[in-house]
């Protein structure tokens, strides 16, 4: 049972709980990922690329296409390739050939599904949609900004500093925290004594991001990291 379903079950059984639910996302994927998380998916078998704020999993494409034209995608795996595209048309950028004909191009050379500069009998055009237009490959969004947050377990006195996406709700942060504490759903999350609205972001809960101010003052990002406190509910509702 996923975290969304568990919370809905808890809400139905406990009127004092917030009606928490995770925003829609593809199965097994978060809504947002950080650039450092994107960078971890950098192999042909696990190839994520991002452009214009969205993250795409090109692993299925590379599984079916292992030729030299896939090399630029493999070499760029785990990075943002927005500079490959025209921001107005969302197609690959174009250049003028020797005969002043417009040709598509990629910075690393010929790439899969890109028509060749000249007619070629061995160019495989047996695909329905080029990879950069295939919306079925889109899995998540690339976070525009990240921030650190301290999570303090008042029961165990354990403390963890996490990097989270500013766009994420507190429930999505809870989902990240499951890596540290698999029973995180059995806790009430508070900030300065106030219960957090788990459907809202940190800033919407009044937990402001001070990293830009710290940078302007010449202080490191970790000079001040806001803390969230977890209080155990002791309701045994989560196995």
């Amino acid at each position: 049972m996923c975290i969304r379903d568990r919370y809905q079950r808890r809400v139905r059984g406990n009127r004092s709980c917030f009606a928490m639910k995770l925003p829609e996302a593809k199965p097994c994927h978060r809504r947002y990922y950080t650039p450092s998380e994107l960078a971890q998916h950098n192999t042909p078998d696990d190839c994520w690329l991002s452009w214009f704020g969205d993250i795409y999993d090109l692993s299925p494409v590379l599984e079916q296409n292992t030729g030299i034209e896939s090399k630029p995608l493999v070499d760029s795996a785990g990075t943002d390739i927005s500079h490959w595209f025209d921001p107005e048309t969302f197609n690959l950028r174009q250049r003028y050939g020797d005969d002043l004909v417009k040709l598509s191009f990629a910075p690393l050379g010929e790439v899969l599904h890109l028509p060749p500069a000249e007619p070629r009998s061995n160019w495989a055009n047996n695909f329905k949609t080029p990879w950069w237009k295939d919306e079925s490959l889109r899995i998540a969004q690339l976070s525009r900004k990240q921030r650190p947050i301290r999570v303090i377990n008042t029961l165990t006195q354990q403390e963890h500093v996490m990097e989270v996406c500013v766009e994420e709700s507190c429930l999505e942060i809870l989902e990240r925290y499951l890596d540290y504490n698999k029973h995180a759903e059995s806790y009430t999350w508070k900030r300065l004594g106030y219960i957090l609205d788990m459907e809202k972001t940190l800033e919407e809960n009044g937990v402001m991001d001070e990293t830009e101010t710290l940078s302007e003052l010449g202080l490191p990002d970790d000079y001040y990291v806001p803390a969230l406190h977890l209080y155990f509910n002791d309701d045994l509702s989560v196995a």
Side-chain angles (χ1 to χ4, degrees):
M1 182 180 293
C2 69
I3 185 173
R4 182 191 293 108
D5 294 336
R6 289 199 298 268
Y7 260 110
Q8 289 176 345
R9 185 180 67 176
R10 291 185 63 198
V11 168
R12 286 195 297 266
N14 186 351
R15 294 182 180 179
S16 64
C17 291
F18 286 106
M20 305 179 203
K21 60 181 180 180
L22 279 173
E24 289 300 319
K26 285 202 173 185
C28 302
H29 292 295
R30 298 188 176 117
R31 271 202 315 158
Y32 292 95
Y33 288 92
T34 68
S36 60
E37 290 173 325
L38 170 67
Q40 296 172 17
H41 301 269
N42 57 7
T43 68
D45 297 331
D46 182 21
C47 177
W48 289 11
L49 292 164
S50 70
W51 57 90
F52 299 132
D54 289 318
I55 297 176
Y56 297 78
D57 182 1
L58 269 70
S59 308
V61 176
L62 295 177
E63 183 179 359
Q64 299 176 6
N65 299 273
T66 58
I68 189 65
E69 293 178 339
S70 296
K71 189 175 185 300
L73 299 176
V74 176
D75 290 345
S76 303
T79 68
D80 184 85
I81 58 170
S82 297
H83 60 288
W84 288 22
F85 300 93
D86 185 321
E88 295 184 358
T89 65
F90 299 102
N91 284 318
L92 290 169
R93 290 183 180 275
Q94 294 186 320
R95 63 177 175 83
Y96 285 99
D98 295 336
D99 53 0
L100 299 183
V101 175
K102 279 188 176 182
L103 302 171
S104 298
F105 83 104
L108 300 182
E110 291 189 8
V111 68
L112 185 68
H113 298 168
L114 178 67
E118 298 178 354
R120 204 173 67 196
S121 61
N122 63 346
W123 180 60
N125 61 353
N126 57 342
F127 55 89
K128 293 182 179 180
T129 306
W131 55 265
W132 61 89
K133 289 186 176 182
D134 190 345
E135 284 299 304
S136 69
L137 301 174
R138 183 164 58 88
I139 58 172
Q141 292 178 269
L142 185 66
S143 174
R144 61 179 171 80
K145 192 175 188 297
Q146 301 77 54
R147 60 176 297 182
I149 194 73
R150 280 191 300 147
V151 180
I152 301 174
N153 187 326
T154 60
L155 177 66
T156 64
Q157 300 302 309
Q158 291 178 315
E159 178 177 328
H160 297 93
V161 177
M162 302 168 53
E163 181 186 52
V164 301
C165 305
V166 297
E167 303 93 342
E168 290 179 319
S169 68
C170 290
L171 183 54
E172 289 171 301
I173 295 173
L174 182 156
E175 187 178 19
R176 287 180 176 274
Y177 184 68
L178 289 173
D179 292 340
Y180 302 97
N181 184 342
K182 64 181 180 180
H183 298 294
E185 300 164 67
S186 292
Y187 290 77
T188 296
W189 290 55
K190 294 185 178 183
R191 165 67 175 166
L192 301 178
Y194 293 94
I195 297 177
L196 296 174
D197 184 335
M198 301 299 282
E199 292 187 344
K200 294 183 178 180
T201 66
L202 289 174
E203 291 213 348
E204 289 171 341
N205 274 289
V207 188
M208 309 309 293
D209 181 8
E210 306 286 355
T211 52
E212 290 186 5
T213 301
L214 295 175
S215 178
E216 292 174 358
L217 295 174
L219 298 172
D221 291 346
D222 59 357
Y223 182 81
Y224 168 70
V225 179
L228 308 180
H229 291 85
L230 275 58
Y231 295 84
F232 188 58
N233 294 327
D234 196 23
D235 59 6
L236 300 179
S237 61
V238 179

